[in-house]
Amino acid sequence: GAVVSQHPSWVICKSGTSVKIECRSLDFQATTMFWYRQFPKQSLMLMATSNEGSKATYEQGVEKDKFLINHASLTLSTLTVTSAHPEDSSFYICSAKKGDRGIEQYFGPGTRLTVT
Amino acid sequence: AQSVTQLDSQVPVFEEAPVELRCNYSSSVSVYLFWYVQYPNQGLQLLLKYLSGSTLVKGINGFEAEFNKSQTSFHLRKPSVHISDTAEYFCAVSVANQAGTALIFGKGTTLSVSS
């Protein structure tokens, strides 16, 4: 199998605080993980590509100082939303590829972030 | 650059009717193509993928898709839908031979199956 988990599945935080979302590959090693953001009734937009042991590559328009990504091990990547604002409320989904040459991405169940 | 166009934002059908969800892509290089399904408040589940070989790809839940290089299309079909097929469907593309590349998604098609 290829299972990816996310924690938490749902989080509410106050404006100005930070929140960390974890993405784990449970039964495989993931050299590369991706973070996507999805607004209601819309498609997934790639935020950043995370490679184990190196800095994440952010897509144009994504603030790297606001969305901190860490990929410290082959099974864990974290996304920290710093100084959250209501407009950061969204559904955040991670995905992972197996090994160095994996083609298929395996998606986590997503994290619903609500900033009040 | 690659792009994906899903031609229908919403497709309403009756149960047991056939359905086709259309997807066109734009790329100057070889690509891999995918269809994902998303149920409310859940992540994405892979329905099927085209990497190489036979252009007719069969996936889970009775879905299939055909890769047409000349028309740059990858339409998803099911001969008889069920109520449980009601969901959001996304077509996606990634660049072949680049393992580190991310997926580019279409805007999605909402399939609504009614009795």
Side-chain angles (χ1 to χ4, degrees):
Chain A
V3 181
V4 176
S5 70
Q6 283 185 241
H7 178 80
S9 57
W10 183 56
V11 58
I12 299 175
C13 70
K14 292 186 176 182
S15 186
T17 63
S18 297
V19 61
K20 179 184 287 188
I21 302 170
E22 293 185 348
C23 176
R24 292 182 184 273
S25 56
L26 299 184
D27 51 2
F28 66 97
Q29 292 186 333
T31 305
T32 304
M33 290 184 169
F34 302 91
W35 286 95
Y36 296 86
R37 182 174 181 176
Q38 185 180 32
F39 291 104
K41 305 290 185 183
Q42 295 189 30
S43 187
L44 282 74
M45 299 300 296
L46 178 67
M47 298 176 66
T49 301
S50 169
N51 290 296
E52 187 265 339
S54 63
K55 291 184 178 180
T57 302
Y58 290 82
E59 294 300 299
Q60 190 173 7
V62 178
E63 299 176 61
K64 62 180 180 181
D65 294 331
K66 180 169 185 60
F67 298 99
L68 301 178
I69 292 173
N70 183 278
H71 194 159
S73 77
L74 287 172
T75 59
L76 173 64
S77 177
T78 60
L79 167 67
T80 301
V81 183
T82 62
S83 186
H85 291 285
E87 56 264 33
D88 298 325
S89 298
S90 190
F91 195 51
Y92 293 88
I93 303 176
C94 73
S95 69
K97 286 190 173 186
K98 284 184 178 180
D100 291 331
R101 305 183 67 81
I103 296 171
E104 185 175 338
Q105 292 185 31
Y106 301 92
F107 284 83
T111 296
R112 173 77 58 193
L113 170 63
T114 301
V115 184
T116 61
Chain B
Q2 295 76 39
S3 65
V4 177
T5 302
Q6 290 184 242
L7 298 164
D8 308 293
S9 59
Q10 295 188 15
V11 175
V13 294
F14 288 108
E15 194 173 19
E16 297 183 7
V19 70
E20 178 180 79
L21 306 184
R22 296 181 293 169
C23 173
N24 285 89
Y25 68 93
S26 172
S27 176
S28 59
V29 298
S30 296
V31 295
Y32 299 131
L33 294 158
F34 306 82
W35 274 100
Y36 288 88
V37 61
Q38 184 181 34
Y39 299 100
N41 295 312
Q42 294 186 29
L44 274 67
Q45 181 181 7
L46 180 67
L47 279 177
L48 46 79
K49 61 190 176 189
Y50 172 78
L51 304 182
S52 65
S54 174
T55 57
L56 182 61
V57 180
K58 293 189 182 297
I60 63 171
N61 300 343
F63 284 94
E64 64 179 32
E66 185 159 16
F67 169 59
N68 188 319
K69 187 175 182 179
S70 63
Q71 297 186 7
T72 60
S73 68
F74 190 55
H75 300 334
L76 180 70
R77 302 186 184 99
K78 186 169 183 178
S80 176
V81 295
H82 300 290
I83 298 287
S84 59
D85 292 323
T86 295
E88 191 76 15
Y89 292 80
F90 293 98
C91 182
V93 62
S94 70
V95 178
N97 299 320
Q98 292 191 28
T101 57
L103 291 169
I104 306 299
F105 286 89
K107 291 184 179 297
T109 296
T110 302
L111 175 63
S112 299
V113 183
S114 57
S115 57

